[in-house]
Amino acid sequence: MEAPRLAHTMSSPTSPCEEVIKNLSLEAIQLCDRDGNKSQDSGIAEMEELPVPHNIKISNITCDSFKISWDMDSKSKDRITHYFIDLNKKENKNSNKFKHKDVPTKLVAKAVPLPMTVRGHWFLSPRTEYTVAVQTASKQVDGDYVVSEWSEIIEFCTADYSKVHLTQLLEKAEVIAGRMLKLSVFYRNQHREYFDYVREHHGNAMQPSVKDNSGSHGSPISGKLEGIFFSCNTEFNTGKPPQDSPYGRYRFEIAAEKLFNPNTNLYFGDFYCMYTAYHYVILVIAPVGSPGDEFCKQRLPQLNIKDNKFLTCNEEDGVMVYHHAQDVILEVIYTDPVDLSLGTVAEITGHQLMSLSTANAKKDPSCKTCNISVGR
């Protein structure tokens, strides 16, 4: 017996030659696996006459969709009524065998002209490796199917969030950013050994490094953008940086205007939480025309440095004045090297709160505040 059809899982066709899967559903039946093995009660018979898909092609990959096409022999092609698509995360190929036998595991689509678009945030996640195989099928009068053998298995990886998706995250972050507080410095906490290494091996200049995989799984800066992390949040009662830190007891402080000024561009990079009540916003500061600036310009929403909800830079009476959002924790990535001589290094007096570390932190996929309606 078929499960109810999900009527709105695919977008409308864009052209006669690019039909989109219509009436995509998960069938409440036991389909045969990729090796051709079937359960005895599957209700599916094999028919050699049905053509086996080959030369599978994946294209137009986004964070939550892809187009798929293949070649088929013309023999019995007119008998095909459906396509069975076996889609699995590459790192978890055997997950289906642990599911209850009545839980659907395959995608079933009506046979439409190829290529067709597979879209759905409930089973596709950004920046994730998948394997896919295809069968052709013919639905019989009694509701059973005859099927071809499985095609070869193809591997592909979904894409990062696009600017459109990041703009959706940006709009969500703006809602909770809160009022703006003044700041005067950016700061970076590390262990003493880090600053000693910078002096001895990098000529006193902190070097950009590749951002880790913390934050949203689809963030285009994770594992790609090179930069130096700074903080800028202040304590409400003192207007100064907090004395506690999860990253080390030594702090480099630098006047805000030396990193953030009219000669830099500001970009929104991410919005996330880690199963906590407070949220993080990642911003990128890049000197105009620098490699970091070119990287961000292609991938991230750009913010007006004078007027945004997170971090602003304005001139008042000939002096640069800076403000930051009160109700989010800002993580600022500066994309160029920074010489220690431009600021000061000193030991902090507070505690090292490791629970606040965001190193490779995983985003809470269930949070309604900081997730958008695409693959997590």
Side-chain angles (χ1 to χ4, degrees):
M1 180 178 293
E2 294 184 4
R5 298 290 180 181
L6 303 180
H8 301 291
T9 59
M10 298 295 156
S11 59
S12 299
T14 56
S15 70
C17 64
E18 293 182 349
E19 285 285 336
V20 177
I21 294 181
K22 297 177 181 177
N23 300 320
L24 176 68
S25 71
L26 298 175
E27 297 285 323
I29 54 177
Q30 281 293 102
L31 303 183
C32 51
D33 61 26
R34 290 172 175 175
D35 296 324
N37 301 315
K38 305 191 301 296
S39 60
Q40 293 182 354
D41 59 350
S42 67
I44 299 180
E46 291 188 21
M47 179 175 285
E48 293 182 358
E49 288 79 4
L50 285 179
V52 179
H54 61 275
N55 194 23
I56 310 294
K57 301 182 185 69
I58 305 293
S59 61
N60 295 81
I61 300 171
T62 73
C63 68
D64 65 345
S65 70
F66 62 92
K67 286 187 177 181
I68 186 169
S69 64
W70 56 82
D71 297 331
M72 290 183 292
D73 295 332
S74 59
K75 184 179 180 181
S76 298
K77 193 174 180 179
D78 57 344
R79 300 189 60 181
I80 298 172
T81 62
H82 291 78
Y83 302 135
F84 292 169
I85 302 174
D86 187 11
L87 183 68
N88 292 283
K89 287 186 178 180
K90 184 179 176 182
E91 66 272 19
N92 198 18
K93 291 181 181 179
N94 297 322
S95 62
N96 286 345
K97 71 180 181 182
F98 298 110
K99 295 180 181 179
H100 188 277
K101 75 171 188 175
D102 292 330
V103 176
T105 61
K106 305 293 187 292
L107 306 180
V108 179
K110 287 185 176 179
V112 295
L114 302 176
M116 59 186 179
T117 299
V118 178
R119 185 186 308 278
H121 69 269
W122 62 93
F123 59 80
L124 283 172
S125 296
R127 196 185 284 204
T128 302
E129 292 185 331
Y130 288 92
T131 62
V132 63
V134 186
Q135 281 179 313
T136 58
S138 177
K139 191 170 185 178
Q140 307 301 292
V141 176
D142 59 3
D144 287 344
Y145 290 86
V146 292
V147 298
S148 71
E149 294 181 0
W150 282 108
S151 70
E152 72 270 29
I153 298 173
I154 298 298
E155 298 179 359
F156 72 99
C157 185
T158 47
D160 299 331
Y161 284 157
S162 67
K163 276 188 179 181
V164 171
H165 299 119
L166 287 172
T167 299
Q168 294 175 19
L169 272 182
L170 166 62
E171 292 169 350
K172 280 181 163 281
E174 289 175 336
V175 172
I176 69 162
R179 69 171 180 165
M180 304 290 279
L181 302 178
K182 278 191 175 183
L183 71 109
S184 59
V185 299
F186 290 102
Y187 55 96
R188 174 173 172 80
N189 290 83
Q190 285 287 343
H191 298 287
R192 181 176 182 173
E193 292 78 10
Y194 168 82
F195 294 109
D196 289 342
Y197 186 87
V198 167
R199 295 185 185 98
E200 294 174 12
H201 298 278
H202 292 295
N204 215 46
M206 293 185 291
Q207 300 296 314
S209 60
V210 177
K211 183 193 171 298
D212 65 12
N213 289 315
S214 61
S216 299
H217 191 53
S219 173
I221 63 177
S222 293
K224 296 180 181 179
L225 176 67
E226 293 188 356
I228 305 170
F229 262 109
F230 285 91
S231 299
C232 65
N233 289 80
T234 59
E235 292 182 322
F236 178 77
N237 56 341
T238 66
K240 296 181 179 180
Q243 282 300 305
D244 299 326
S245 168
Y247 300 112
R249 296 191 55 81
Y250 283 79
R251 173 173 292 169
F252 171 73
E253 286 191 8
I254 184 170
E257 64 184 19
K258 293 185 179 180
L259 296 187
F260 187 35
N261 53 63
N263 294 319
T264 57
N265 283 326
L266 181 67
Y267 298 91
F268 173 82
D270 200 4
F271 177 45
Y272 70 99
C273 72
M274 303 178 296
Y275 303 89
T276 57
Y278 43 90
H279 281 79
Y280 294 83
V281 169
I282 297 180
L283 303 175
V284 182
I285 297 176
V288 175
S290 66
D293 188 35
E294 294 302 316
F295 177 94
C296 294
K297 192 174 297 183
Q298 303 298 321
R299 297 168 177 83
L300 306 180
Q302 185 170 349
L303 302 177
N304 184 337
I305 67 171
K306 297 181 179 181
D307 183 19
N308 66 81
K309 298 289 187 180
F310 311 108
L311 182 65
T312 59
C313 166
N314 286 282
E315 185 175 342
E316 297 179 9
D317 299 324
V319 178
M320 301 306 294
V321 178
Y322 297 87
H323 290 84
H324 71 87
Q326 173 186 357
D327 294 336
V328 293
I329 300 175
L330 296 179
E331 298 182 300
V332 179
I333 301 176
Y334 187 76
T335 61
D336 273 13
V338 177
D339 199 291
L340 294 179
S341 65
L342 297 176
T344 60
V345 177
E347 188 173 5
I348 61 175
T349 59
H351 302 286
Q352 188 170 337
L353 304 177
M354 295 307 296
S355 62
L356 295 179
S357 173
T358 60
N360 289 307
K362 299 303 180 184
K363 180 175 182 175
D364 178 0
S366 65
C367 178
K368 294 182 179 179
T369 300
C370 62
N371 281 294
I372 55 178
S373 59
V374 294
R376 299 291 183 255

